[in-house]
Each structure stands twice: as C-alpha cells, then as structure tokens.
C-alpha cells in the first residue's frame, strides 16, 4: 500500500505573501466608498485574524456582514496586483515538492481571493482552504494530513498545536519570536528563506 504524501501547510498573509500594500489599498477604497474613516496604516499591522474582527473596529455590528461582502467584492480590483511574494515563498513550496511532499495553504482569507493571490504570484499549492482561523485551521490540517504547519501569527501556532502538527513560525508578521515561542511554536525562523534547509534537516532526523 502506498503511504500518504508528506504534507506541509502554509498560512498565506505575511507567511507566503506580503499583502500589506494590497490590503491597505482595499481598505482605503472601502473608506472612500462608504465615507467611514479607516486607519489603513494601522489595519495592516495586525493581519491574520478574520476580516470581520478588523471591520468591527470601524463599523457598527449591524453593518459588519454587509461590509465584509463589499470588501471581498472590491478585493480583486484593489488588492491582488499590489501584493508581493514573501522572500523564499516559492522556494519553500518547491522544497516541499522536491522532498516528495504536498504543499497546502490554510488561511483565514476568503478562499477565492486567496486563490487569486497564488495564481497571480505563481505560487503553486496542492490545495487551498480558506475562511479558517486559529484552532479552526486544525480542521483543514487534519483533513489534508499535514504534519507541519508554517505561519507567522500565534493563531497559526494554535492551529498547528490543535492539529498536533509541528509548528514552524516565521517572524515576518505581527508577532515576534518571543510571542511565537510562548504560544508553543516548535521552531522559529526569521523568514522562509531558512525553510528549505530546516526542512532538509527535519526530514533527515
């Protein structure tokens, strides 16, 4: 019987992609469209949690559902082309595949928009699962058979721990190394450029 492929999960925002320019532009467009002030520079310092939590800082509760829908509708126009691949992102995914494994993306982002980012930046993924945050990411990680999950936020560490996957954290997002270790990360890397060497050593061990 063939054994299942080694699978690594990756978070998206601030792990594989630097979505700050695009997200800032989309919030600015939302502010212009609605006439509601949004501190767009502040919003991009706390990426990771679901969109609804950020919108709650700027809109009353009864408008959150409508603003979520509007933001997601505007997102492809304003946020895709301004977004960059993080250093080492493509190489990290390639390293998983070179090891005979599968690379899957598990993110809190609206799944259709996550796919647009990956297609635009030519970052291949064997599966993309969106709309999951923190411990709920474990649902997809278990379903995909991921034994490693890579992310930049303590919510990603929580998702990995809940799924009983090895937690690899990178300090490219809003959480520093101490926060990530305190949350339970098994290893903390400066960024994804260090991931291929780490993966080689991890697989050898």
């Amino acid at each position: 019987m063939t054994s299942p492929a080694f699978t690594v999960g990756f978070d998206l925002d601030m792990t594989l992609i630097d979505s700050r320019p695009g997200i800032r532009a989309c919030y600015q467009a939302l502010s212009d469209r609605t006439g509601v002030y949004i501190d767009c520079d502040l919003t991009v310092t706390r990426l990771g949690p679901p969109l609804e939590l950020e919108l709650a800082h700027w809109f009353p509760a009864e408008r959150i559902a409508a603003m979520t829908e509007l933001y997601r509708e505007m997102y492809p126009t304003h946020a895709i082309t301004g977004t960059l691949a993080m250093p080492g992102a493509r190489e990290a995914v390639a390293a998983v595949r070179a090891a005979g494994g599968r690379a899957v993306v598990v993110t809190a982002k609206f799944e259709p928009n996550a796919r647009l980012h990956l297609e635009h930046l030519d970052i291949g993924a064997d599966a993309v699962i969106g709309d999951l945050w923190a411990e709920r990411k474990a649902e997809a990680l278990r379903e995909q058979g991921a034994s490693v999950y890579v992310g930049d936020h303590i919510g990603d560490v929580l998702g990995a721990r809940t799924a009983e996957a090895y937690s690899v954290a990178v300090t490219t997002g809003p959480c520093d190394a101490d926060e990530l270790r305190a949350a339970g990360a098994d290893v903390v890397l400066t960024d994804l450029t260090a991931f291929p060497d780490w993966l080689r050593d991890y697989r050898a061990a």
Side-chain angles (χ1 to χ4, degrees), residues 21-39:
I23 287 176
R24 187 191 185 286
C26 195
Y27 275 120
Q28 186 60 61
L30 182 66
S31 178
D32 294 344
R33 176 92 166 256
T34 60
V36 173
Y37 172 74
I38 298 173
D39 187 336

Side-chain angles (χ1 to χ4, degrees), residues 5-149:
F6 170 67
T7 300
V8 176
F10 290 91
D11 175 51
L12 186 63
D13 290 291
M14 303 312 298
T15 299
L16 287 174
I17 66 172
D18 184 351
S19 50
R20 289 173 297 184
I23 287 176
R24 187 191 185 286
C26 195
Y27 275 120
Q28 186 60 61
L30 182 66
S31 178
D32 294 344
R33 176 92 166 256
T34 60
V36 173
Y37 172 74
I38 298 173
D39 187 336
C40 302
D41 292 323
L42 178 59
T43 62
V44 297
T45 67
R46 49 193 186 198
L47 300 183
L51 171 63
E52 291 86 349
L53 297 184
E54 182 60 46
L55 290 173
H57 291 289
W58 314 107
F59 295 94
E62 64 272 15
R63 296 190 69 189
I64 298 301
M67 291 303 99
T68 297
E69 184 175 347
L70 178 58
Y71 177 95
R72 287 174 170 173
E73 177 186 308
M74 298 171 70
Y75 194 93
T77 299
H78 297 280
I80 302 301
T81 58
T83 290
L84 308 171
M86 293 296 285
R90 295 183 185 91
E91 293 82 357
V93 170
V96 173
R97 289 180 164 163
R102 299 171 64 248
V104 303
V105 172
V106 180
T107 175
K109 189 178 291 296
F110 183 51
E111 188 174 307
N113 289 339
R115 292 180 181 276
L116 288 176
H117 277 303
L118 294 168
E119 290 166 10
H120 177 72
L121 294 171
D122 194 25
I123 299 174
D126 295 287
V128 181
I129 304 96
D131 303 295
L132 297 175
W133 167 241
E135 60 267 43
R136 286 199 59 219
K137 290 190 172 189
E139 300 170 16
L141 294 173
R142 289 194 186 106
E143 182 179 306
Q144 294 294 323
S147 56
V148 174
Y149 185 58

